[in-house]
Coordinates of all heavy atoms in Angstrom, one line a residue:
A1 N 67.6 124.3 114.4 CA 68.3 123.2 115.2 C 69.6 122.8 114.6 O 70.2 121.8 114.9 CB 67.4 121.9 115.4
D2 N 70.0 123.5 113.5 CA 71.2 123.1 112.7 C 72.4 123.0 113.6 O 73.3 122.1 113.4 CB 71.5 124.0 111.5 CG 70.4 123.7 110.4 OD1 69.6 122.8 110.5 OD2 70.4 124.5 109.4
I3 N 72.6 123.9 114.5 CA 73.8 124.0 115.3 C 74.0 122.7 116.1 O 75.1 122.2 116.4 CB 73.8 125.2 116.2 CG1 75.2 125.4 116.9 CG2 72.6 125.2 117.2 CD1 75.3 126.7 117.6
I4 N 72.8 122.1 116.6 CA 72.8 120.9 117.4 C 73.0 119.7 116.4 O 73.8 118.7 116.6 CB 71.7 120.8 118.2 CG1 71.5 121.9 119.2 CG2 71.7 119.5 119.0 CD1 70.2 121.9 120.1
I5 N 72.2 119.7 115.4 CA 72.1 118.6 114.5 C 73.5 118.3 113.8 O 73.9 117.2 113.5 CB 71.1 118.8 113.4 CG1 69.7 118.7 114.1 CG2 71.1 117.6 112.4 CD1 68.5 119.0 113.1
S6 N 74.2 119.4 113.4 CA 75.5 119.3 112.8 C 76.6 118.7 113.6 O 77.6 118.3 113.2 CB 76.0 120.7 112.3 OG 76.1 121.6 113.4
N7 N 76.5 118.7 115.0 CA 77.4 118.2 115.8 C 76.8 117.7 117.1 O 76.9 118.2 118.1 CB 78.4 119.3 116.2 CG 79.7 118.7 116.8 OD1 79.8 117.5 117.2 ND2 80.7 119.6 117.1
L8 N 76.1 116.5 116.9 CA 75.3 115.8 118.0 C 76.3 115.5 119.2 O 75.9 115.6 120.3 CB 74.6 114.6 117.5 CG 73.3 115.0 116.6 CD1 72.7 113.8 115.9 CD2 72.3 115.8 117.3
R9 N 77.4 115.0 118.8 CA 78.4 114.5 119.8 C 78.8 115.7 120.8 O 78.8 115.4 122.0 CB 79.6 114.0 119.3 CG 80.6 113.3 120.3 CD 81.8 112.7 119.5 NE 81.3 111.5 118.9 CZ 81.2 110.2 119.5 NH1 81.4 110.2 120.7 NH2 80.8 109.2 118.8
R10 N 78.9 116.7 120.3 CA 79.2 118.0 121.2 C 78.2 118.2 122.2 O 78.6 118.7 123.3 CB 79.5 119.2 120.2 CG 79.8 120.4 121.0 CD 80.0 121.7 120.2 NE 80.2 122.8 120.9 CZ 80.2 124.1 120.4 NH1 80.1 124.2 119.0 NH2 80.3 125.2 121.2
Y11 N 77.1 118.0 121.8 CA 75.9 118.2 122.8 C 75.3 117.0 123.6 O 74.4 117.0 124.1 CB 74.7 118.8 122.0 CG 75.0 120.2 121.5 CD1 75.5 120.3 120.2 CD2 74.8 121.3 122.2 CE1 75.8 121.6 119.7 CE2 75.1 122.6 121.7 CZ 75.6 122.8 120.4 OH 76.0 124.0 120.0
G12 N 76.4 116.0 123.6 CA 76.0 115.0 124.5 C 75.3 113.7 123.9 O 75.0 112.7 124.5
Y13 N 74.9 113.8 122.5 CA 74.3 112.7 121.9 C 75.3 111.7 121.2 O 76.2 112.2 120.5 CB 73.3 113.2 120.9 CG 72.2 114.1 121.4 CD1 72.3 115.5 121.4 CD2 71.1 113.6 121.9 CE1 71.4 116.3 122.0 CE2 70.0 114.3 122.5 CZ 70.2 115.7 122.4 OH 69.2 116.5 123.0
K14 N 75.2 110.5 121.5 CA 76.0 109.6 120.9 C 75.3 108.2 120.7 O 74.3 108.0 121.4 CB 77.4 109.3 121.7 CG 77.0 108.9 123.2 CD 78.4 108.8 124.0 CE 78.0 108.3 125.4 NZ 79.3 108.2 126.2
W15 N 75.9 107.4 119.9 CA 75.1 106.1 119.7 C 75.1 105.2 120.8 O 76.1 105.1 121.6 CB 75.8 105.4 118.4 CG 75.1 104.1 118.1 CD1 74.0 103.9 117.3 CD2 75.5 102.8 118.7 NE1 73.6 102.5 117.3 CE2 74.6 101.9 118.1 CE3 76.4 102.2 119.4 CZ2 74.6 100.5 118.3 CZ3 76.4 100.9 119.7 CH2 75.6 100.0 119.1
D16 N 74.0 104.6 121.1 CA 73.8 103.7 122.3 C 72.8 102.6 121.8 O 71.7 103.0 121.5 CB 73.2 104.6 123.4 CG 73.1 103.6 124.6 OD1 73.2 102.4 124.6 OD2 72.8 104.1 125.8
F17 N 73.3 101.5 121.8 CA 72.4 100.4 121.2 C 71.2 100.2 122.1 O 70.2 99.6 121.5 CB 73.2 99.1 121.2 CG 73.4 98.4 122.5 CD1 72.7 97.4 123.0 CD2 74.6 98.7 123.3 CE1 72.8 96.8 124.1 CE2 74.8 98.2 124.5 CZ 73.9 97.2 125.0
T18 N 71.1 100.6 123.3 CA 69.9 100.5 124.2 C 68.9 101.6 123.9 O 67.8 101.5 124.2 CB 70.3 100.5 125.7 OG1 70.9 101.7 126.1 CG2 71.2 99.3 125.9
A19 N 69.5 102.7 123.4 CA 68.6 103.8 123.2 C 68.4 104.3 121.7 O 67.8 105.2 121.4 CB 69.1 105.1 124.0
G20 N 69.1 103.7 120.9 CA 69.1 104.0 119.4 C 70.2 104.9 119.0 O 71.1 105.2 119.8
S21 N 70.1 105.5 117.8 CA 71.1 106.3 117.3 C 70.9 107.8 118.0 O 70.1 108.0 118.7 CB 70.9 106.5 115.9 OG 69.7 107.2 115.5
A22 N 72.0 108.6 117.7 CA 72.0 109.8 118.3 C 70.9 110.6 117.9 O 70.2 111.4 118.5 CB 73.4 110.5 118.1
E23 N 70.5 110.5 116.5 CA 69.4 111.2 116.0 C 68.1 110.8 116.7 O 67.2 111.6 116.9 CB 69.2 110.9 114.4 CG 70.4 111.6 113.6 CD 71.7 110.6 113.6 OE1 71.6 109.7 114.3 OE2 72.6 111.0 112.8
D24 N 67.9 109.5 117.0 CA 66.8 109.0 117.6 C 66.6 109.6 119.1 O 65.6 109.9 119.5 CB 66.8 107.4 117.7 CG 66.5 106.8 116.4 OD1 65.9 107.5 115.5 OD2 66.9 105.7 116.1
Q25 N 67.8 109.7 119.7 CA 67.7 110.2 121.0 C 67.4 111.7 121.1 O 66.6 112.1 121.9 CB 69.2 110.2 121.6 CG 69.6 108.7 121.8 CD 71.1 108.6 122.5 OE1 71.4 109.4 123.3 NE2 71.9 107.8 121.9
L26 N 67.8 112.5 120.1 CA 67.5 113.9 120.0 C 65.9 114.0 119.7 O 65.3 114.8 120.3 CB 68.3 114.5 118.8 CG 67.8 116.0 118.4 CD1 68.0 116.9 119.7 CD2 68.6 116.5 117.2
R27 N 65.4 113.2 118.8 CA 63.9 113.2 118.5 C 63.1 112.9 119.8 O 62.1 113.4 120.0 CB 63.5 112.3 117.3 CG 64.0 113.0 116.0 CD 63.4 112.1 114.9 NE 63.9 110.8 114.7 CZ 65.0 110.6 113.9 NH1 65.5 111.5 113.2 NH2 65.4 109.3 113.9
S28 N 63.6 111.8 120.5 CA 62.9 111.4 121.7 C 62.8 112.5 122.7 O 61.9 112.7 123.4 CB 63.6 110.2 122.3 OG 63.5 109.0 121.4
Q29 N 64.0 113.2 122.8 CA 64.0 114.3 123.7 C 63.1 115.5 123.4 O 62.4 116.1 124.3 CB 65.4 115.0 123.9 CG 65.5 116.0 125.1 CD 67.1 116.2 125.4 OE1 67.9 115.3 125.3 NE2 67.4 117.5 125.8
L30 N 63.0 115.7 122.1 CA 62.1 116.7 121.5 C 60.6 116.3 121.8 O 59.8 117.2 122.2 CB 62.3 116.9 120.1 CG 63.5 117.7 119.6 CD1 63.7 117.6 118.0 CD2 63.4 119.1 120.0
E31 N 60.3 115.0 121.7 CA 59.1 114.6 122.0 C 58.7 114.7 123.4 O 57.5 115.1 123.8 CB 58.9 113.0 121.5 CG 59.0 112.8 120.1 CD 59.1 111.3 119.8 OE1 58.9 110.5 120.7 OE2 59.4 111.0 118.6
R32 N 59.5 114.4 124.3 CA 59.3 114.6 125.7 C 59.2 116.1 126.0 O 58.2 116.5 126.9 CB 60.5 114.1 126.5 CG 60.5 112.6 126.5 CD 61.5 112.0 127.6 NE 62.9 112.5 127.4 CZ 63.8 111.9 126.7 NH1 63.5 110.7 126.1 NH2 65.0 112.3 126.5
M33 N 60.0 117.0 125.4 CA 59.7 118.4 125.6 C 58.4 118.8 125.2 O 57.8 119.7 125.8 CB 61.0 119.1 124.9 CG 60.9 120.7 125.1 SD 62.3 121.4 124.2 CE 61.7 121.1 122.4

């Protein structure tokens, strides 16, 4: 997952105070998957 983790913004992840940090959003999506 390095290619995504190294540039989260490129893959649509960005900080959102309602959804948490970009890292939190990525982990949440992995949990749903």
Side-chain angles (χ1 to χ4, degrees):
D2 285 354
I3 187 172
I4 298 177
I5 295 175
S6 61
N7 193 352
L8 290 172
R9 182 175 293 276
R10 176 183 176 186
Y11 291 92
Y13 296 96
K14 58 184 179 180
W15 181 81
D16 182 348
F17 74 93
T18 61
S21 66
E23 291 84 355
D24 289 337
Q25 293 178 46
L26 174 61
R27 282 193 292 268
S28 296
Q29 185 164 329
L30 285 172
E31 291 170 10
R32 289 194 296 271
M33 180 180 68

